[in-house]
Amino acid sequence: MTDHTLPTARLGDAGPEVGVQGLGCMGMSFAYGPTDADASRATLERALELGVTLYDTADAYGAGENERFLSPFFKAHRDEVVIATKFALSIPPDDPTKRIIRNDEPYIRQAVEASLRRLDVDVIDLYYMHRRDPDVPIEETVAVMADLVREGKVKHLGLSEVTGDELRAAQGVHPIAAVQSEWSLFSRDIEAGVVPAARELGVALVPYSPLGRGFLTGSFADAEKDLTAGDFRRQQPRFTGDNATANAALLAPVRTVAEAHGATLGQIALAWAQQRARVHDLPVIPIPGTRKPARVEENTAATRIVLTEEELSLLEPIAGKVAGDRYADMTFTSAGRE
């Protein structure tokens, strides 16, 4: 196979250049049922061969296990990869199934030191605030994050699931390289406020779940029936019951476009996400997650698919028809605060 080197885009005005598609690594340790460590390691290596340089994790993924799992790969390729991790979802010792959002300075400092140890690196390339605690002014949180940059523990700052106004407030304290939010054919709420703010401020958008957590690939039709008991998607309203049935029908135009290109459903969903860069005039680096080398080959190939205006128009109505929220509790998303 002839490898295709991805084009690059910059994270923020002064951030690193990365391949225009990154890799979401959460599922290698957490959330999506049983994993195969050898296949995941092969996926990481194959992604790098194909030009993927942005690798995304978080301290909350498997209570630090995802960072530990990725550490050997990062050490072997430290000068070739951009490491992104996150803080803010604290796990109570008495209930490991719960998450408490914390944006306060003592927690941030504890979290960054723990991530540095697990990753076994001297500095984190891109450090995100994973979720927003509205009781802590975002200016205070970003000021602490800025101190981490000055102390040499972090190179660049990112935010996840923030509103446009929150992004503007944060940018007033320290340059923000990237905003990570869910953005796909099924989830487009950030286009109202977050995307215009990011374009205005020179901040890159990093869409997570650009494949609708796999639903847009057609790999499952009802989470309760098709996925294992421990799969996180069984808790998301749009993937179960009547919502799942209604949403599966929305894939019809995606199939039509896929057939025209000789592509998979997932490739069309990713091509749509990649073309948000041109549509909205800002850097867009989707981070689809996968644990299989063949899937990362399929995903990166989507960067070479260009959808026509007619095809984009055919796909345009999908998000407005989706049944069910993307989380059972939307209060910790940007859409819940807009």
Side-chain angles (χ1 to χ4, degrees), residues 16-213:
E17 290 252 344
V18 296
V20 294
Q21 187 180 114
L23 182 63
C25 301
M26 178 180 78
M28 295 180 178
S29 309
F30 174 71
Y32 293 151
T35 62
D36 181 328
D38 289 340
S40 292
R41 282 189 281 268
T43 300
L44 294 167
E45 296 287 350
R46 186 65 181 132
L48 188 60
E49 290 172 355
L50 292 166
V52 174
T53 53
L54 177 63
Y55 293 80
D56 185 87
T57 182
D59 59 0
Y61 299 162
E65 284 306 312
N66 197 235
E67 289 179 324
R68 292 188 188 95
F69 174 77
L70 295 168
S71 176
F73 170 75
F74 290 155
K75 287 194 72 174
H77 301 286
R78 189 63 188 97
D79 295 335
E80 303 168 83
V81 301
V82 172
I83 302 170
T85 193
K86 315 177 193 74
F87 74 89
L89 295 179
S90 174
I91 303 172
D94 59 340
D95 189 350
T97 66
K98 287 188 176 180
R99 300 289 185 273
I100 297 172
I101 299 175
R102 290 189 59 180
N103 292 172
D104 56 283
E105 180 170 2
Y107 182 75
I108 296 169
R109 290 195 169 278
Q110 169 192 324
V112 73
E113 295 296 343
S115 285
L116 286 166
R117 285 195 302 272
R118 286 188 293 262
L119 292 164
D120 196 15
V121 296
D122 295 326
V123 61
I124 294 165
D125 299 314
L126 177 60
Y127 200 43
Y128 286 103
M129 180 188 76
H130 202 163
R131 292 291 185 269
R132 168 97 170 90
D133 178 0
D135 293 330
V136 179
I138 197 164
E139 295 89 345
E140 292 183 12
T141 300
V142 175
V144 177
M145 296 170 72
D147 285 341
L148 301 182
V149 175
R150 285 187 283 272
E151 293 163 12
K153 297 173 181 177
V154 170
K155 289 184 180 180
H156 305 282
L157 303 185
L159 303 171
S160 180
E161 290 286 357
V162 293
T163 67
D165 287 344
E166 289 166 350
L167 174 57
R168 290 186 178 92
Q171 184 82 355
V173 177
H174 188 278
I176 302 299
V179 168
Q180 184 176 131
S181 288
E182 187 163 354
W183 199 8
S184 73
L185 283 169
F186 267 23
S187 300
R188 297 180 59 179
D189 50 81
I190 67 168
E191 292 175 20
V194 182
V195 171
R199 181 177 61 244
E200 165 195 328
L201 299 170
V203 176
L205 250 296
V206 178
Y208 72 82
S209 298
L211 295 171
R213 300 192 184 276

Side-chain angles (χ1 to χ4, degrees), residues 261-297:
H261 285 268
T264 65
L265 298 182
Q267 286 178 319
I268 298 306
L270 284 174
W272 180 90
Q274 301 282 171
Q275 281 183 237
R276 298 303 91 192
R278 176 175 59 79
V279 171
H280 293 280
D281 190 27
L282 81 170
V284 176
I285 300 93
I287 49 168
T290 186
R291 301 175 288 196
K292 298 178 180 178
R295 288 288 184 227
V296 85
E297 291 169 3

